[in-house]
Amino acid sequence: MEVLKLTTEIDRTGQLKLDLPTNLEAGKVDLVVIVNPVTDESKGQNSYDFSDLEGTLSWQGDAVATQRQLRDEW
């Protein structure tokens, strides 16, 4: 089995043409195609804005020692 991912275009007539090089031997294969439209917004933007969750943590003490103490409680 081989997973292939590519971005291509559908022409004006609504035809999608695929030419996929593979490393498979010649013979019959099952092909599953998922068509997911690409929008300008989905290119490189996160789907969620995490800015309301950002912040900093002020730590006083030895983080490793505290981790070991918590682990030893188990």
Side-chain angles (χ1 to χ4, degrees):
M1 184 167 114
E2 191 171 339
V3 177
L4 305 170
K5 180 180 179 184
L6 65 105
T7 302
T8 187
E9 293 186 19
I10 298 175
D11 66 16
R12 287 178 277 140
T13 64
Q15 294 293 311
L16 173 63
K17 296 180 173 64
L18 298 175
D19 187 19
L20 302 171
T22 69
N23 294 324
L24 300 172
E25 295 181 16
K28 292 184 179 182
V29 296
D30 290 325
L31 177 66
V32 176
V33 178
I34 299 173
V35 179
N36 185 25
V38 176
T39 62
D40 289 337
E41 291 179 6
S42 66
K43 292 180 184 177
Q45 284 189 354
N46 292 332
S47 60
Y48 184 78
D49 179 18
F50 290 98
S51 63
D52 61 328
L53 302 175
E54 63 188 34
T56 59
L57 175 65
S58 299
W59 183 262
Q60 301 294 325
D62 184 3
V64 175
T66 303
Q67 178 188 8
R68 287 182 179 149
Q69 180 185 3
L70 291 170
R71 187 178 57 222
D72 290 342
E73 288 177 4
W74 296 2

